């Protein structure tokens, strides 16, 4: 018994897995032996009763898309309306990278369904600038070096625009509190606060 055990412990992992499945009477499926149904994409089309036509005003333009009822507002913007500026970060509402304005209120786009915002006005980072003229907060982010990798920046800017509009800029501490839902992995928080503070004073 001990001799058999000693031999088993010396087997390589792949050999051991193959031996285990053989002992159990199960075929070992390698990538070249997978059934066609398992190796090929089997995604069925979404039934028509699970589709909805969503009408939105996005960045001042009327947009219409037919989406699965489970589609998030984030995926609608990125995958259906070709607006990739809004970033997909944690996809759980914890990082704020997907922040957009819905009827002038900040929303984590990954946490809300597109069908819940029929006829709403949505503003994304693409809708802030006026032609070549940046939004004052976008310019302030540049002036204060409020970004490093830039991945969180669209959400930070959108949340900052709302923070100013909401009047939560009485102090740096208040700005930090009301921007706490937006995470910056690079740690540019001090410069972000400075950018918001400057923009609020100039508004």
């Amino acid at each position: 018994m001990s001799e058999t055990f000693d031999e088993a412990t010396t087997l390589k992992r792949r050999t051991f897995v193959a031996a285990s499945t053989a002992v159990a009477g199960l075929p070992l499926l390698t990538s070249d032996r997978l059934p066609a149904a398992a190796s090929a994409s089997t995604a069925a089309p979404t039934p028509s009763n699970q589709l909805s036509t969503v009408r939105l005003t996005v960045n001042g333009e009327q947009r219409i898309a037919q989406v699965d009822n489970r589609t998030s507002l984030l995926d609608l913007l990125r995958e259906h309306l070709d607006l990739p500026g809004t970033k997909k970060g944690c996809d759980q509402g914890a990082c704020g990278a997907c922040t957009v304005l819905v009827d002038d209120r900040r929303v984590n786009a990954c946490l809300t369904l597109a069908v819940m915002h029929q006829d709403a006005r949505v503003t994304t980072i693409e809708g802030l600038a006026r032609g070549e003229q940046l939004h004052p907060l976008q310019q302030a982010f540049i002036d204060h070096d409020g970004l490093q990798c830039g991945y969180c920046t669209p959400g930070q800017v959108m949340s900052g625009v709302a923070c100013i509009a909401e009047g939560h800029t009485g102090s740096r501490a208040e700005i930090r509190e009301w921007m706490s839902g937006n995470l910056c992995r690079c740690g540019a928080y001090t410069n972000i606060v400075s950018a918001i503070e400057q923009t609020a004073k100039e508004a």
Side-chain angles (χ1 to χ4, degrees), residues 21-66:
T21 55
V23 169
L26 301 173
L28 180 63
L29 296 179
T30 57
S31 58
D32 58 339
R33 295 177 58 193
L34 285 173
S39 59
S41 175
T42 57
T46 304
S48 59
N49 63 352
Q50 294 179 18
L51 294 173
S52 291
T53 299
V54 180
R55 294 175 178 83
L56 299 169
T57 301
V58 182
N59 300 328
E61 181 182 349
Q62 291 285 333
R63 304 296 298 270
I64 300 175
Q66 188 174 58

Side-chain angles (χ1 to χ4, degrees), residues 146-179:
L147 63 154
Q148 288 187 41
C149 79
Y151 195 83
C152 76
T153 304
Q156 296 277 5
V157 170
M158 298 308 297
S159 194
V161 167
C163 185
I164 294 169
E166 294 160 4
H168 298 305
T169 57
S171 67
R172 292 180 68 86
E174 185 178 14
I175 293 172
R176 285 195 295 270
E177 175 67 23
W178 286 89
M179 289 293 295

